[in-house]
Every structure is written in C-alpha cells, then in structure tokens.
Amino acid sequence: MPPKKKGAQEKPILLGRPGNNLKSGIVGLANVGKSTFFQAITRCPLGNPANYPFATIEPEEARVIVPSERFDKLCELYKPKSEVPAFLTVYDIAGLTKGAHSGEGLGNNFLANIRAVDSIFQMTRAFDDAEIIHINDEVNPVADLDIVKDELRLKDIEFATKYLEGIEKITKRGGQSLEVKQKKEEAELVKRIIKLLEEGKRVANQTWTAKEVDAINQMLLLTAKPVIYLINLSEKDYIRKKNKHLLKIKEWVDENSPNDLIVPVSVSFEEKLAGMASDEEREAYCKEVGAQSALPKIIVAMRKELDLISFFTGGPDEVREWTIRKWYTAPQAAGTIHTDLERTFILAQVMKYEDLVELGDEASVKAAGKLQMKGKDYFVEDGDIIYVKAAEGKAR
C-alpha cells in the first residue's frame, strides 16, 4: 500500500451499521405515548391510538422532515423549481413489557424490531392521568427505565453468549493460524461485553478501540445503539418547565446511560400543535403559552447521535439536502446522488455554505477564490455545497 499522505486524516470506524439510510425507533413500555408521539412527529395519523397494551403490533414507519435553516436559505438564494429536504426515518415500535427478553407478551417481535433500527427514542411516562392505563398500575418513570434497560441488556447477554459459542467452536480447533488468533482476541472482547452487561452497563456508553468497534458492529447489540430519552410530561408541566420526576430521571440516566440526552416533551402538547390548521395558528398558540415544540430539537439531536451530516446540491432546477454518515469521502457522497457517480467520480467542486451566504452567489464565491476542487480522498464536511464531475454525468 502507498504511504499515507503527511497530515492526512484517518477515517475512524463508527459504532453502528454503515450507510445513510439509518432508522430510529420509538421504544418504551405500553401506553407511555409512543404512537401519539409518532403521529405528532410525522404528521402521519395511524388512527386513534388504543388505550390498552400492545395496540401497535407491527412497527409503523414514516419519514420525518429534518428542520434546516441552511436548506431554507439555499432555497431563497436559488429559487429552485424543486425543493427536496432531508429526512429521518422513524419507526413506532410496540410497547415492551417485563419479561420481553424471554418472550413475554409479544417480546420476541418487539426486540427483533428494536434490533432492526439504528438508534432509539426511549419514551418514558412522567404524567398522571387516571384515564390512561399504566401497564404497571403506577406512574414510576425510574422503574419503567429499569424495565426497558434490563430487557435490552438481558437480550444482549443472550445474543453475546450465542455469538461467543460460535467463536469458541473455531478457537477450540487450536493451532496458530491467523483466524484462530483473531477469534481468540474476539472471544476475549465478547467476554468483556457479557461482563459489563451483567454489571448493568450499556455497550454504547463505553470507550472502544477501532478494532473493537468493528467486531461489536457485527453483533448488532441492542445496547450498542445511541439513545435519546424522551420524558413525556403533561402539557401543564411542559409549559411551566417543572415535573416531580425529572430530577430522579436525570440521576438514573447519569448512572445508567451517562452523557446521553434527556429531552422533556409533552405528547399532548405536540398532538395539539399537530392538529392545528396552519403554522400561524401554531405560532400564535406557542407564543400565548410561552412554550415551543420539542420536535425540531429531537429530530436534529438524533441525526447527531447517528453521526449523520448534510451536504447540498443546488441550482435553479433543484435544491436538495443529502444525508450522509460522517467521514464519507467525496466519491461516497456522490454515490448517494447516483451510484454511477461514485464509480466514475473525477472531482467535486465544493463551496462552503457560509461563503455562499456571505458572498451571495456562486460567481462571487468563485471570484473570491473560495471554490475548492476536491479529489477522491476528501472527507465531505457538514454543510458543503457540492458539484460533482464524473466520467458519466454531472450532478449539482
């Protein structure tokens, strides 16, 4: 292999599945507000959510528009015929129950659905309402958090134990082959993972080497997925920014899922906003009560947790915001536009969003010497505006 260029950035291995089409699942116990939240975040009604456990059996899927001031500004500048924003794919997954890891309730289906997503919105109920049944007969967010954590953790122990059995079939052959050596190292890693899971820890909250991350990604563990904790408050508590459970929830997250984000949200408030006829009506109501929707923050935060960034293509015909994983090269980014562009990539003309907004148009950016020519080893940066040149076509 040729030597690395001096000062060249080295691409890290990210925890999780590769690719751009990453999915987020809304997870929690039954009757905590998941399906109603899904309706609000997607503006995609599923019918009336039922007031009993397991009303959702198969996960529902929708694409959520990502709020983007940069996209809106580029549309103002280019005035294109077509505007295509970025999306985040969200699943509404049926409620977990204690014992799900061993098949209780509809546990096997639910856990399989969670395994199929790449990140988790964990919804926890922190409101009292006698008309909405709580599956455990009392509102106790910390107890609910413990149940979900334990079900995912116990299932991961099962996954990891089976995975270890497969590795040990190879290591027991003995010998000094490279495969046996690698499998012995992997077996030690899996044993460490099982131990930390037994101690109540999540895989995602640990520090791993690139080599370890590569091995962990093969296992598709539930606790290796990034999580954002959504705390469902009453509308009253959300507006006044007070709730008797929040401090204990923060203490629980600090201990069990350190550094992960907690976002208070009121599903009833979001449902009310979603049901209003216009943006003007929503804005007036938010101003009246002194509170804003939490949905934009939630969507943007999850993209960040998934290591997703945006680049743009723009012109009079179309402005589009494209979603890619961090550390994508210019040819990989081109491949999200069309696979042929990756295969026949020549170069990318790159403008920085800030330069275009400051200078006003592409000609001014070019005249200022800020239009950059980037080759195959360029890692696309968040906010890049790209014009791809390839042997079989061009895209902007």
Side-chain angles (χ1 to χ4, degrees), residues 15-293:
L15 196 62
R17 279 180 283 213
N20 307 321
N21 189 25
L22 304 183
K23 305 165 186 176
S24 300
I26 306 170
V27 174
L29 300 186
N31 286 7
V32 297
K34 298 184 308 301
S35 293
T36 307
F37 173 74
F38 179 86
Q39 290 183 24
I41 200 170
T42 61
R43 303 278 173 88
C44 177
L46 306 177
N48 294 321
N51 183 23
Y52 56 87
F54 317 129
T56 306
I57 305 302
E58 296 298 327
E60 300 284 351
E61 174 187 359
R63 295 197 306 171
V64 181
I65 293 176
V66 175
S68 174
E69 292 182 2
R70 295 180 303 185
F71 175 76
D72 294 339
K73 182 64 178 178
L74 291 177
C75 290
E76 285 180 25
L77 285 173
Y78 284 108
K79 297 179 174 54
K81 298 172 185 175
S82 173
E83 301 176 2
V84 185
F87 294 92
L88 179 69
T89 302
V90 178
Y91 280 80
D92 173 37
I93 297 174
L96 279 172
T97 186
K98 193 168 185 176
H101 73 280
S102 58
E104 291 293 325
L106 297 171
N108 289 332
N109 288 340
F110 299 167
L111 291 167
N113 290 333
I114 297 171
R115 202 176 191 199
V117 301
D118 301 281
S119 62
I120 295 170
F121 289 119
Q122 185 167 328
M123 177 73 70
T124 301
R125 176 174 171 177
F127 66 90
D128 296 305
D129 190 330
E131 295 184 2
I132 300 179
I133 300 165
H134 190 287
I135 194 168
N136 293 324
D137 299 324
E138 66 169 342
V139 176
N140 186 339
V142 169
D144 293 355
L145 288 165
D146 276 331
I147 290 171
V148 175
K149 181 195 78 169
D150 287 344
E151 294 307 319
L152 302 188
R153 183 177 59 83
L154 290 169
K155 197 65 179 179
D156 272 357
I157 292 173
E158 179 186 321
F159 288 148
T161 301
K162 289 181 180 177
Y163 194 82
L164 180 61
E165 290 171 359
I167 294 172
E168 289 182 334
K169 287 179 182 178
I170 298 173
T171 61
K172 286 175 182 177
R173 296 177 193 165
Q176 299 298 318
S177 71
L178 180 60
E179 181 188 20
V180 170
K181 181 183 176 182
Q182 290 174 337
K183 290 301 180 183
K184 283 181 179 178
E185 292 176 356
E186 191 173 358
E188 290 305 310
L189 170 63
V190 177
K191 289 174 185 176
R192 279 173 50 207
I193 290 171
I194 292 172
K195 186 174 184 296
L196 74 86
L197 289 168
E198 290 174 342
E199 293 170 350
K201 297 174 182 175
R202 277 173 31 86
V203 173
N205 299 103
Q206 313 305 312
T207 301
W208 306 101
T209 67
K211 189 175 181 180
E212 289 169 341
V213 168
D214 196 31
I216 291 168
N217 285 346
Q218 309 305 313
M219 300 171 69
L220 302 178
L221 297 173
L222 303 175
T223 63
K225 301 177 189 298
V227 61
I228 292 176
Y229 293 93
L230 304 179
I231 313 305
N232 189 7
L233 310 178
S234 67
E235 182 173 355
K236 179 181 177 182
D237 282 0
Y238 179 73
I239 290 171
R240 68 189 187 123
K241 299 180 175 63
K242 289 183 180 180
N243 179 273
K244 62 185 179 181
H245 300 291
L246 284 176
L247 180 58
K248 289 182 178 178
I249 291 170
K250 184 180 186 307
E251 291 171 350
W252 185 94
V253 172
D254 287 346
E255 180 179 352
N256 295 277
S257 197
N259 301 316
D260 283 328
L261 187 63
I262 303 169
V263 182
V265 61
S266 171
V267 170
S268 59
F269 178 73
E270 302 295 349
E271 183 181 32
K272 183 179 288 186
L273 292 181
M276 292 180 181
S278 66
D279 289 341
E280 289 74 19
E281 187 179 352
R282 281 185 279 275
E283 288 172 12
Y285 182 72
C286 288
K287 186 175 181 181
E288 177 188 339
V289 300
Q292 296 294 322
S293 169

